[in-house]
Amino acid sequence: MKKLPGKTVERLSKYRRALLYSFKSGKEHIFSHEIAELLHITSVQVRRDLMLIGYTGTLRKGYDIKELIDKIGIILDTQSGQKVAVIGLGNLGRAFIRYFSGKRTKLSIVAAFDVNPEKINTVYEGVPCYDSERISEIVIREKISIAILTVPVDESNRTADILIRSGIKGILNYTSKALNVPQDVYLEEYDMVTSLEKVAYFAKQ
Amino acid sequence: MKKLPGKTVERLSKYRRALLYSFKSGKEHIFSHEIAELLHITSVQVRRDLMLIGYTGTLRKGYDIKELIDKIGIILDTQSGQKVAVIGLGNLGRAFIRYFSGKRTKLSIVAAFDVNPEKINTVYEGVPCYDSERISEIVIREKISIAILTVPVDESNRTADILIRSGIKGILNYTSKALNVPQDVYLEEYDMVTSLEKVAYFAKQ
DNA sequence: TATCCATTGTTAAGCGATTAACAATGTTAA
DNA sequence: TTAACATTGTTAATCGCTTAACAATGGATA
């Protein structure tokens, strides 16, 4: 299937979580305007997104929640799952591991890396922490395709280069430096300080 | 001044950080294409953003770094500064406090809140942690205008309501639930799971 | 002095995403 | 049986942001 718009992909992820929640509470069908309410968006947008992934509802009952969850899974997930590594086991790295621990999804965090000897060879929430020197070895061995980068900013480019040479396919960069990656590596950047400064700007009346 | 586009505000925050870094290393002037390189964007976009804030460079020397930093400060900051609270002193809350500790900016994190008795009345990186029961009291007393919300998802709406009733002006929401806020409260949402799922989607070739 | 040229500032075009509009559909109610 | 209606799926319009295009500028160079 042709690549979907980034914004649609983000919403599909949110639809799925909201739908799982509704399904667990016993609901079987849902209308576009109900999904829209859950996410605080419009029903048109929901229908447009579902049109893009080719899922069709029924006229008076809306969408079959179970079917739609499965359909979104076909779009977002890979059959065999994808392995994720957290680079930098600081607060942010641990936050990620916490969010994912226990959730059995097609994304699994299988390794963390740090330079701190006190963290190396420990296990956090079931995820082993290795010496950062071993990134390349383990990424290749474990076929890890996604990295969450939460290292100090002056290490970010060097670390990204190692990941790229080890065949990583996507990087989620939380360091405040724009990374250089080749075209075939997907890069998503998020800057906590910028987010807070943005809120501060719009919060002053 | 008229409100700037959100994307421009985000970039201004990044320009400032990059410019501060350049200034510290002794540089005094900079061209639009040099700023663009630092952020991996185009020089046109830089010039357009600077046009929007009304800053004018010189033709052959480019922009005066010191002046531009000050100009961005006038746009983004308030004269007296803004106070920030972290609600939920988990990994993510601590990550935020860490990022900001030591940096003397117009944004200062002055309080954290948690329900865990072991955290209440401790101090993390200079930031005192209070009982979540006291959010309203302290937000009002300290004139805190911005909240970073990192509580468990089932507490998010209740907590947001307390913040709103206490006169908060902006909320940065890291819980995975869309919040209901009145028009005069600025809301920025970020979902770590969605970000990772987006990377995963675009990383599968 | 006159010409060249890199750079800025700004207008216009293009693009991607959201929103509006509406035909199609089939269930419900008269 | 027919009319009313809520809802879906899709096309068209709109909006906001990015990118392209280019005139204006004034220092450097011949």
Side-chain angles (χ1 to χ4, degrees):
Chain A
M1 173 180 289
K2 202 166 154 294
K3 280 290 178 221
L4 299 165
K7 290 293 171 67
T8 293
V9 172
E10 288 177 19
R11 283 190 297 267
L12 287 173
S13 162
K14 292 174 185 179
Y15 296 159
R16 175 161 66 176
R17 179 171 45 213
L19 291 168
L20 277 165
Y21 189 81
S22 293
F23 190 66
K24 275 184 200 144
S25 67
K27 210 167 156 67
E28 289 189 358
H29 292 86
I30 195 165
F31 297 121
S32 61
H33 66 261
E34 291 179 296
I35 299 178
E37 266 168 48
L38 293 171
L39 274 76
H40 297 176
I41 59 177
T42 67
S43 65
V44 188
Q45 191 150 63
V46 174
R47 291 201 301 278
R48 212 173 193 302
D49 286 335
L50 299 190
M51 185 191 85
L52 290 176
I53 65 170
Y55 183 73
T56 292
T58 52
L59 205 42
R60 299 294 278 208
K61 290 196 291 184
Y63 304 96
D64 181 300
I65 294 183
K66 180 67 168 49
E67 269 182 27
L68 181 48
I69 289 170
D70 289 346
K71 179 71 180 182
I72 294 175
I74 290 169
I75 303 291
L76 294 188
D77 301 333
T78 61
Q79 190 102 48
S80 57
Q82 286 159 289
K83 292 186 181 178
V84 181
V86 168
I87 322 291
L89 191 54
N91 287 311
L92 195 50
R94 285 196 296 271
F96 251 106
I97 291 171
R98 264 293 185 78
Y99 273 114
F100 273 85
S101 84
K103 313 230 182 3
R104 190 176 314 279
T105 72
K106 290 288 185 177
L107 288 177
S108 52
I109 299 180
V110 298
F113 296 92
D114 208 291
V115 294
N116 184 339
E118 291 184 9
K119 292 177 182 170
I120 294 168
N121 294 326
T122 62
V123 174
Y124 183 76
E125 299 274 339
V127 176
C129 179
Y130 304 99
D131 189 331
S132 292
E133 295 295 319
R134 300 177 64 195
I135 290 176
S136 191
E137 171 202 340
I138 288 161
V139 165
I140 293 171
R141 188 183 78 197
E142 297 283 332
K143 297 187 172 58
I144 293 167
S145 63
I146 295 163
I148 301 169
L149 196 57
T150 67
V151 299
V153 63
D154 43 298
E155 288 295 324
S156 59
N157 258 313
R158 201 183 62 83
T159 310
D161 288 346
I162 294 169
L163 289 165
I164 292 162
R165 279 201 303 276
S166 309
I168 211 84
K169 289 281 184 292
I171 297 176
L172 182 45
N173 178 30
Y174 286 95
T175 75
S176 54
K177 191 117 154 250
L179 291 185
N180 258 316
V181 302
Q183 277 239 320
D184 60 335
V185 173
Y186 181 80
L187 175 64
E188 174 88 6
E189 313 211 275
Y190 181 75
D191 189 323
M192 292 167 65
V193 174
T194 287
S195 268
L196 187 59
E197 292 194 332
K198 184 182 179 190
V199 173
Y201 173 79
F202 287 107
K204 56 174 188 180
Q205 73 276 41
Chain B
M1 173 180 291
K2 202 167 154 294
K3 281 289 178 222
L4 299 166
K7 289 295 171 67
T8 294
V9 172
E10 289 177 19
R11 283 190 295 267
L12 287 173
S13 162
K14 292 174 185 180
Y15 296 159
R16 175 161 65 175
R17 179 171 45 214
L19 290 168
L20 278 165
Y21 190 80
S22 293
F23 190 66
K24 275 184 200 144
S25 67
K27 209 167 155 67
E28 289 189 359
H29 291 85
I30 195 166
F31 296 121
S32 61
H33 66 261
E34 291 178 297
I35 299 178
E37 266 167 48
L38 294 171
L39 273 76
H40 296 176
I41 58 176
T42 67
S43 64
V44 188
Q45 191 150 62
V46 174
R47 291 201 301 278
R48 212 173 192 303
D49 287 334
L50 299 190
M51 184 191 86
L52 290 176
I53 66 170
Y55 182 73
T56 292
T58 51
L59 206 42
R60 298 295 277 207
K61 289 196 292 185
Y63 305 96
D64 182 301
I65 294 182
K66 180 66 168 51
E67 269 182 27
L68 182 48
I69 290 170
D70 289 347
K71 180 71 181 183
I72 294 175
I74 290 169
I75 303 289
L76 294 187
D77 301 332
T78 62
Q79 190 101 47
S80 56
Q82 286 158 289
K83 291 186 182 178
V84 180
V86 168
I87 323 292
L89 191 54
N91 287 310
L92 195 51
R94 285 196 296 272
F96 251 106
I97 291 171
R98 264 291 186 79
Y99 273 114
F100 272 84
S101 84
K103 313 234 182 0
R104 189 176 315 280
T105 72
K106 290 286 184 177
L107 289 176
S108 51
I109 299 179
V110 299
F113 296 92
D114 208 291
V115 294
N116 184 339
E118 289 184 10
K119 291 176 182 170
I120 294 168
N121 294 326
T122 62
V123 174
Y124 183 77
E125 299 274 340
V127 176
C129 179
Y130 304 99
D131 190 331
S132 292
E133 296 294 319
R134 300 177 65 194
I135 290 175
S136 192
E137 171 202 340
I138 287 162
V139 164
I140 292 170
R141 188 184 78 198
E142 296 284 333
K143 298 186 173 58
I144 292 168
S145 62
I146 294 161
I148 301 168
L149 196 59
T150 66
V151 299
V153 63
D154 44 296
E155 288 296 323
S156 59
N157 258 312
R158 201 183 62 83
T159 310
D161 288 346
I162 294 169
L163 289 164
I164 291 163
R165 279 201 302 275
S166 309
I168 211 83
K169 289 281 184 292
I171 297 177
L172 182 44
N173 177 29
Y174 286 96
T175 76
S176 54
K177 191 116 154 252
L179 291 184
N180 257 316
V181 303
Q183 278 240 321
D184 61 335
V185 173
Y186 180 80
L187 175 63
E188 175 89 7
E189 312 211 277
Y190 181 74
D191 188 323
M192 292 168 65
V193 174
T194 287
S195 268
L196 187 59
E197 292 194 332
K198 184 181 178 192
V199 173
Y201 173 78
F202 287 107
K204 57 174 188 181
Q205 70 273 45

